[in-house]
Amino acid sequence: MIVSAYYRCSSACTGLTMALIAAACNVAPARAEGMLDTVQVHGFLSQALIVTDENNFFGPSSHDGGSLQYTEIGANLSFRPRQDVLIAIQGISRRAGADDSDFEPDLDYGLVDYQLFSSVDRTLGIQLGRVKNPFGFYNQTRDVAFTRPSILLPQSIYFDRTRSVGLAGDGISIYEQERLPNGTLYFQAGIGKPQVNDDAEKALSTTEPTLDGQISIISQIRYEHDGGRIIAALSAGRAQSRYEVDSKDSDSGTFVFQPWILSLQYNEDLWSLTAEYALRKRSLSGLNNAQHNYDITGESWYLQYTRRFQRDWQWLLRYDVLVNDRNDRSGRKLAATGAAPAYSQFAKDLTTGVQWRIHPQVLLAAEYHHVDGTGWLTIGDNEGETDQYWNMLLFQASLRF
Amino acid sequence: MVMGQGLTRLILAIALLVACPLASSATDVPIVLIANPNVPIDSLTRETIRAIFAMRQRTLPDGQAVHVFVLPDESRVHARFAKEYLGVYPHQLRLSWDRVVFSGTGQAPNHVDSQAEMVERVATTPGGIGYIEQGYLDDRVRLLPLQ
């Protein structure tokens, strides 16, 4: 799978990563044995069953007992050829309803991490290759069920419908850790080519324009106090793509996505409280057909409480709100044009769920969503009429090694 | 008389309150941080130990690669080490490891099944670092005090 993931990686990215890996692996034979000691292989697999009363999410979930079309499989390899170098690569194969990925293996990340400087109170490093974007609390490991508090991440911020836009970038990233007397400050900034796939093309317009990722910058500053009892982070990014309409009225422009996320978490032994707030600015400019240009800002936030029982159980309660356009919170303005129903412009999701770790490597989870609005409903799964109010029940089994 | 009895009870209660934490700490053997003898540092700060055991720092302050050894998540010694040395809970450590392992930013620690194995592996791995109850300490490993 990793091999085929490499194959999928753009040629420039493959070439760069391969060259870096080759250079980093060019070590004296005496070191080779030590390097082999550091080789690690890990992986994960998860399968969900999704049942909805109205609307479809990740497959035909409202028909015939639900949808099994939510599967995540991944494996990674990492090693340290030198004390200051880490090489890590992960392949992922995923299916999520009608999106086009359909188990096609993909390179999730593939990078060389070189620590330029490391002392008692400071570490400075650089990453080259395909790097996951540090976007909010969960983006970097969003496809690994064990790192999520629930089966679905809060969709207002970690939307699956256009997931590719903020997922990872092919380029360079620098990071710094500053250890303070009772806390650590983390800083990361990266620049590269964003991964923009079909999901975004479908979501942006019914004309299904072609998007070509041009440049993305992302940065995050995070402070963890007292061993992570209190965590605060601010993430900011900008992903730019060329936007081409290939239909009879061919046209082109520039699509820019600029998210800001403020993240806060408080952890106790038996419970955690998490909140994130995001502003998502999206603009399309430069089209000759000027009435299709736009510049809108969406707003997302959620508040989440998790409670642990008996070490193996966790219960979650969350309220998650998405507003597609801050200047049209109810969606009425858009509905007046006849383009889409008002409720497609927001989503208010009340979620409760449980996770049971029956074994350190096995996780079972179940959760219930009551949703008002279809703001993050996956598009390909719902060709016809949709309903404003809908309920969703999910079950998931996950393994990791 | 009644007053006297009340006073005696109060004194007894206070004595118990004071004595109880002492009694429980007396049964808990202290946990110590250990390192391979080739590790040329005398002590570590709490934030550095946190970064090392959260698998966010891959080298020791002298520049050599660090090899972290941990007991199973459900081990009482592991839970005590996490709480007393790092000020975190085992579930936070586990999440921290999963996040570095599955984002390509780090590696998982090496797992050992017992404290005897912990001493053995730390003693034979250059850059090795781990923790044990004091009773398991022997001269093949060095003690690393908290700064």
Side-chain angles (χ1 to χ4, degrees):
Chain A
M1 188 170 64
I2 288 166
V3 174
S4 50
Y6 251 133
Y7 183 70
R8 285 253 309 160
C9 180
S10 70
S11 60
C13 156
T14 311
L16 177 69
T17 311
M18 282 301 215
L20 288 166
I21 290 173
C25 293
N26 187 13
V27 289
R31 276 204 182 143
E33 198 182 334
M35 182 174 93
L36 284 178
D37 286 345
T38 68
V39 171
Q40 290 192 0
V41 174
H42 296 279
F44 59 93
L45 187 157
S46 65
Q47 174 63 52
L49 167 68
I50 304 174
V51 183
T52 50
D53 58 350
E54 310 293 345
N55 305 333
N56 291 317
F57 192 77
F58 288 169
S61 57
S62 65
H63 308 288
D64 306 329
S67 166
L68 289 167
Q69 295 179 13
Y70 183 30
T71 310
E72 298 153 308
I73 306 166
N76 66 57
L77 172 82
S78 65
F79 59 100
R80 292 185 284 174
R82 288 163 47 108
Q83 63 208 27
D84 48 8
V85 173
L86 171 77
I87 292 175
I89 179 167
Q90 179 161 283
I92 189 165
S93 172
R94 181 175 183 272
R95 184 183 197 192
D99 75 2
D100 285 340
S101 57
D102 209 16
F103 289 125
E104 253 186 81
D106 209 348
L107 179 71
D108 193 35
Y109 59 75
L111 59 95
V112 177
D113 179 322
Y114 173 53
Q115 271 186 5
L116 297 160
F117 176 80
S118 187
S119 72
V120 174
D121 46 26
R122 185 171 301 153
T123 301
L124 178 67
I126 184 164
Q127 296 170 322
L128 289 164
R130 179 169 294 179
V131 181
K132 297 300 283 281
N133 287 330
F135 191 58
F137 281 140
Y138 300 108
N139 191 57
Q140 286 178 308
T141 55
R142 62 184 293 158
D143 299 318
V144 187
F146 283 86
T147 68
R148 300 190 295 240
S150 47
I151 298 171
L152 294 181
L153 283 172
Q155 293 290 305
S156 75
I157 291 176
Y158 305 95
F159 33 86
D160 278 298
R161 116 181 195 174
T162 54
R163 68 193 298 276
S164 70
V165 176
L167 197 58
D170 291 341
I172 182 168
S173 176
I174 57 161
Y175 63 89
E176 199 203 356
Q177 300 177 16
E178 195 83 26
R179 285 176 279 280
L180 307 170
N182 192 26
T184 302
L185 197 62
Y186 297 85
F187 174 74
Q188 186 173 348
I191 182 160
K193 189 174 183 295
Q195 303 297 298
V196 185
N197 294 336
D198 303 350
D199 56 352
E201 295 174 356
K202 279 189 181 151
L204 276 175
S205 165
T206 49
T207 59
E208 289 194 29
T210 305
L211 285 175
D212 184 20
Q214 285 178 319
I215 196 140
S216 72
I217 47 176
I218 183 123
S219 63
Q220 184 182 67
I221 185 159
R222 188 169 91 247
Y223 175 66
E224 297 197 2
H225 182 71
D226 196 13
R229 192 165 56 84
I230 301 167
I231 308 176
L234 183 67
S235 319
R238 184 179 192 280
Q240 183 176 316
S241 302
R242 186 164 173 78
Y243 182 103
E244 302 257 7
V245 184
D246 303 324
S247 62
K248 56 185 192 310
D249 313 308
S250 81
D251 204 348
S252 67
T254 302
F255 175 71
V256 176
F257 175 55
Q258 276 178 276
W260 283 86
I261 305 185
L262 177 67
S263 312
L264 293 167
Q265 188 170 62
Y266 183 81
N267 287 294
E268 275 293 330
D269 184 12
L270 295 177
W271 58 274
S272 304
L273 195 61
T274 310
E276 295 196 279
Y277 175 85
L279 285 176
R280 297 169 293 108
K281 184 170 150 64
R282 298 166 334 273
S283 68
L284 181 58
S285 58
L287 291 179
N288 290 326
N289 190 347
Q291 64 182 15
H292 288 162
N293 290 330
Y294 59 79
D295 185 352
I296 58 176
T297 300
E299 188 179 276
S300 311
W301 64 269
Y302 72 87
L303 183 65
Q304 169 183 291
Y305 172 78
T306 49
R307 165 90 202 185
R308 287 169 282 278
F309 300 92
Q310 314 239 333
R311 193 158 44 185
D312 303 331
W313 286 82
Q314 180 170 286
W315 171 66
L316 168 139
L317 184 65
R318 180 171 67 213
Y319 188 58
D320 177 42
V321 176
L322 171 125
V323 169
N324 206 23
D325 181 355
R326 293 177 89 199
N327 293 322
D328 186 18
R329 286 173 181 274
S330 66
R332 283 195 202 107
K333 286 185 201 163
L334 186 78
T337 69
Y343 63 77
S344 68
Q345 298 304 298
F346 60 82
K348 298 168 193 166
D349 176 7
L350 180 64
T351 303
T352 186
V354 287
Q355 287 186 335
W356 180 28
R357 286 177 191 240
I358 56 173
H359 181 272
Q361 292 170 311
V362 183
L363 175 69
L364 298 180
E367 73 195 37
Y368 167 74
H369 295 248
H370 174 71
V371 194
D372 170 10
T374 60
W376 47 257
L377 197 63
T378 46
I379 292 163
D381 296 310
N382 294 279
E383 300 294 354
E385 286 279 297
T386 52
D387 286 271
Q388 176 171 356
Y389 297 95
W390 53 295
N391 297 284
M392 175 160 58
L393 196 56
L394 299 98
F395 302 91
Q396 189 176 52
S398 310
L399 299 171
R400 68 145 172 234
F401 63 84
Chain B
M1 189 67 184
V2 175
M3 274 282 280
Q5 253 184 4
L7 198 65
T8 313
R9 278 185 192 160
L10 185 67
I11 290 166
L12 205 64
I14 291 170
L16 274 172
L17 275 175
V18 173
C20 274
L22 290 175
S24 72
S25 67
T27 56
D28 273 348
V29 182
I31 286 175
V32 292
L33 191 65
I34 55 168
N36 184 278
N38 87 327
V39 170
I41 39 175
D42 297 324
S43 63
L44 284 171
T45 65
R46 180 189 276 246
E47 277 308 308
T48 305
I49 296 171
R50 276 174 176 162
I52 288 172
F53 279 89
M55 302 306 288
R56 291 195 191 116
Q57 187 172 354
R58 303 197 292 271
T59 50
L60 289 166
D62 73 315
Q64 78 169 309
V66 62
H67 293 270
V68 176
F69 292 91
V70 295
L71 289 163
D73 284 8
E74 57 276 14
S75 148
R76 212 176 56 85
V77 175
H78 175 70
R80 277 188 57 209
F81 170 74
K83 195 77 198 65
E84 291 170 19
Y85 271 79
L86 313 178
V88 304
Y89 302 102
H91 69 86
Q92 285 173 283
L93 267 185
R94 169 58 64 187
L95 189 60
S96 173
W97 300 338
D98 281 347
R99 291 220 171 122
V100 296
V101 163
F102 293 107
S103 63
T105 54
Q107 291 192 304
N110 302 291
H111 287 267
V112 293
D113 291 327
S114 67
Q115 299 189 66
E117 191 189 347
M118 175 77 87
V119 175
E120 178 66 34
R121 295 290 300 278
V122 170
T124 54
T125 310
I129 189 166
Y131 53 84
I132 45 169
E133 285 176 316
Q134 200 162 28
Y136 286 83
L137 191 63
D138 68 33
D139 56 12
R140 290 177 298 159
V141 292
R142 62 177 297 190
L143 199 68
L144 214 50
L146 193 67
Q147 214 171 73

